Amino acid sequence: MDYILDHIGIAVRSIDDALPFYLTVLNGVVEDRYTSDAPGVEVHVAVVRTNDKVIELLSPTNKNSPMARFIKQRGKGVHHIAYRVDDLDEAILEARKKGVRFLEDTLRTNARGRKLIYVNPASTDGTLIELCSYPSQK
């Protein structure tokens, strides 16, 4: 199984306030911008490409969203690192055989068709890792 760095998720209070740095200093381009109001997600997303790297700026849609809780507990900054795999179901099975635990309630397909799940940070020594695959991959 190949794990390819897909993107880094950055928790911000306001995408509009954070964007200028990524656009003017890092010469990034906004590739997509959307909101997910799904329960347990509740996040605004801006997908920014800088050269061949992708950053997702993530801001809460309300003060009770998981992203709002994350920022309150840990502050702004890196939220997660995402790795793309060819087959998410297979990657999950392989990882479970190696003792990796997942945050089961995070398994979903996002608003743009990306299938994803988060690894329990207890399995990664504290880092939130997303595994994801895209519909065009299969």
Side-chain angles (χ1 to χ4, degrees), residues 6-10 22 26 46-50 53-57:
D6 188 72
H7 67 272
I8 297 173
I10 308 288
Y22 293 92
L26 299 181
V47 180
V48 179
R49 181 171 298 278
T50 57
K53 304 298 181 249
V54 175
I55 304 229
E56 286 186 352
L57 299 177

Side-chain angles (χ1 to χ4, degrees), residues 18-134:
L19 265 178
F21 173 80
Y22 293 92
L23 301 181
T24 61
V25 176
L26 299 181
N27 298 317
V29 175
V30 176
E31 287 194 335
D32 195 8
R33 196 163 174 175
Y34 62 94
T35 298
S36 176
D37 286 320
V41 181
E42 303 159 299
V43 70
H44 299 294
V45 180
V47 180
V48 179
R49 181 171 298 278
T50 57
N51 292 319
D52 64 340
K53 304 298 181 249
V54 175
I55 304 229
E56 286 186 352
L57 299 177
L58 308 163
S59 69
T61 60
N62 64 67
K63 64 181 181 177
N64 297 315
S65 74
M67 190 58 59
R69 287 193 305 272
F70 178 90
I71 291 172
K72 184 176 182 179
Q73 292 170 353
R74 298 183 127 185
K76 300 178 294 182
V78 174
H79 177 262
H80 68 272
I81 299 171
Y83 290 92
R84 182 176 61 246
V85 295
D86 289 332
D87 184 323
L88 184 61
D89 295 328
E90 182 182 326
I92 292 169
L93 287 174
E94 281 186 20
R96 281 193 176 124
K97 288 177 186 175
K98 296 174 183 173
V100 174
R101 296 184 326 215
F102 291 88
L103 300 174
E104 300 298 334
D105 61 335
T106 65
L107 179 61
R108 64 181 174 271
T109 300
N110 78 0
R112 296 302 190 251
R114 182 174 74 228
K115 189 173 179 182
L116 65 99
I117 192 167
Y118 287 99
V119 176
N120 187 318
S123 293
T124 66
D125 202 30
T127 302
L128 188 58
I129 301 285
E130 173 188 316
L131 298 183
C132 61
S133 63
Y134 293 83

